[in-house]
Amino acid sequence: MVTDPTGRGDLFSPDCPTRQLLDRIGDKWTSMAVKVLAERHPGTVRFSDLRRAMPGISHKMLSQTLQKLAADGLVTRRVDDTLPPSVHYGLTDLGRSLEEPLAVLREWAEAHMAEISAHRGVHA
Amino acid sequence: MVTDPTGRGDLFSPDCPTRQLLDRIGDKWTSMAVKVLAERHPGTVRFSDLRRAMPGISHKMLSQTLQKLAADGLVTRRVDDTLPPSVHYGLTDLGRSLEEPLAVLREWAEAHMAEISAHRGVHA
DNA sequence: CTGTATCCTCCAAGATACTG
DNA sequence: CAGTATCTTGGAGGATACAG
């Protein structure tokens, strides 16, 4: 557990890097991309594969999402310099290590979805 | 692991309820509120306490966040009908069960923050 | 003190078109 | 096929004022 030297949990400062990181990995598309990549063999997934696997994502969003993931060292990017070019993505070790925490959250959501729906219904 | 009967992971449908739920709990303020409430005794936290504990959140956002959490059955809300009125919040059992998965994610972020910062720096 | 309603701003994200 | 650039917009979220 990290607590900063001032005595305040630094997670609660708006400009805390860890909080920003959390915002990013909590992102819908980010977590989804990590899951898709985790389910396939590293370096075998093409841009268009990802698009197909992520219904509703736009061309642009996927591009941006992958860029951020690559910039953070979570995914690898390999360009085959063919014509037309194809690009393959895969998780790094770091990226793979993120899949577990995300899975825990997904499982919680799946496990409690019904209960929550029911509760919403009651208080409609 | 839930996979729907059609053979498609239903998490990937844009209108999948579980995906919507994930979007909500991945929300910055939601996860922060759960953490704050988890760290205190149930039913002892006032609106203004939460505001102070969550730097940067606006009046409106806190109100909305708590409403959603209450609607989903994750937090309780008790109104002391005094003057001026005071309202106390606490996690339900369901809410408490969410803290663990969120903690796992926070810990991942804290553990790997340095590594990711370093990677970003390299590719500045 | 807690909460709601109104207005307003601004940016995330879609659509589209273009390049290598 | 993969990616970038431009333009546009819906809606999330802040500020403010007011009510109970």
Side-chain angles (χ1 to χ4, degrees), chain B residues 3 15-16 18 30 42 48 55 76-77 79 85 115:
Chain B
T3 307
D15 51 328
C16 165
T18 303
T30 297
S48 45
T76 58
R77 187 170 180 276
V79 180
E115 190 173 353

Side-chain angles (χ1 to χ4, degrees), chain A residues 22-38:
Chain A
L22 268 176
D23 290 348
R24 179 171 303 185
I25 64 186
D27 173 67
K28 174 167 61 175
W29 297 127
T30 297
S31 57
M32 205 158 155
V34 169
K35 178 168 197 269
V36 171
L37 290 170

Side-chain angles (χ1 to χ4, degrees), chain B residues 46-62:
Chain B
R46 302 184 54 170
F47 187 87
S48 45
D49 292 332
L50 280 162
R51 257 208 108 179
R52 240 170 295 118
M54 299 166 68
I57 195 170
S58 70
H59 203 97
K60 181 185 170 189
M61 273 306 291
L62 180 54

Side-chain angles (χ1 to χ4, degrees), chain A residues 2-14:
Chain A
V2 175
T3 307
D4 77 8
T6 70
R8 290 204 68 268
D10 60 356
L11 249 189
F12 289 84
S13 165

